[in-house]
Amino acid sequence: MKSILVSVVLVFLSGVSLLAQDAVIRKKNFNLEDGVAIRGYDAVAYFTQNKAVKGNKDAAFFYQGATYYFFSAENKEAFKKNPAKYEPQYGGWCAYAMGKNGDKVEVDPETFKIIDGKLYLYYNKHFNKTLKSWNKDEANLKAKADANWQKIFH
């Protein structure tokens, strides 16, 4: 009985250690500003309102190394139930740059696209609207971005 209890405790501690490691890796590789994801925009609103909506600190939720802000308590609860559904792809970095050459490039949170139920963000400054370039070669760039992100994050 004692050995079963020790085994259970060791498995639990291993799981906690892996979660902590994952949070450290995410914090290092995700596009965070002072630990905040998507520059404080509400990840759920992209899906429910089809637009970028600023969240607020009063409706914040910390998830695996990143803090997310939400516009409403309902959006916060939706995120808590299924973070993988709402988190931006490629750690919140520009999807186009990730596909083009594997670079981590800042984004404009108001320049986004939902593809197959996933959130993609894009750089959009200085007459460089990367979403337009992405749209011209989406299938190829997405495949490359997926592969490049795997190299960075796993």
Side-chain angles (χ1 to χ4, degrees):
M1 182 67 171
K2 208 174 199 181
S3 65
I4 292 173
L5 181 60
V6 169
S7 295
V8 168
V9 169
L10 287 175
V11 167
F12 174 76
L13 291 175
S14 296
V16 169
S17 176
L18 288 174
L19 285 174
Q21 279 180 328
D22 192 38
V24 169
I25 292 168
R26 288 167 55 91
K27 194 170 185 175
K28 177 183 170 203
N29 289 303
F30 277 42
N31 186 1
L32 306 175
E33 191 172 295
D34 295 325
V36 177
I38 322 174
R39 291 195 193 154
Y41 281 78
D42 183 331
V44 176
Y46 288 103
F47 296 87
T48 60
Q49 297 181 34
N50 196 33
K51 66 180 182 177
V53 176
K54 253 326 202 177
N56 69 64
K57 292 179 184 180
D58 296 333
F61 178 66
F62 183 78
Y63 176 70
Q64 294 186 356
T67 301
Y68 288 85
Y69 292 167
F70 299 94
F71 176 75
S72 68
E74 293 81 17
N75 285 5
K76 177 181 173 181
E77 289 306 312
F79 184 90
K80 285 169 71 173
K81 288 179 185 173
N82 191 357
K85 177 178 179 178
Y86 299 109
E87 279 195 303
Q89 299 303 289
Y90 317 128
W93 298 108
C94 175
Y96 175 79
M98 190 60 63
K100 186 74 174 167
N101 49 25
D103 286 344
K104 293 190 225 176
V105 172
E106 290 294 330
V107 297
D108 171 1
E110 296 191 11
T111 306
F112 70 96
K113 186 173 184 177
I114 306 290
I115 305 168
D116 297 328
K118 299 290 183 183
L119 174 62
Y120 295 81
L121 301 170
Y122 303 88
Y123 177 86
N124 184 9
K125 291 182 184 169
H126 309 294
F127 307 106
N128 189 359
K129 299 177 191 301
T130 61
L131 177 55
K132 285 183 178 183
S133 300
W134 172 273
N135 286 336
K136 291 177 186 173
D137 194 17
E138 184 175 289
N140 182 46
L141 288 166
K142 185 179 175 311
K144 287 181 178 178
D146 290 346
N148 288 334
W149 182 243
Q150 286 298 314
K151 291 176 197 170
I152 291 169
F153 188 60
H154 296 290

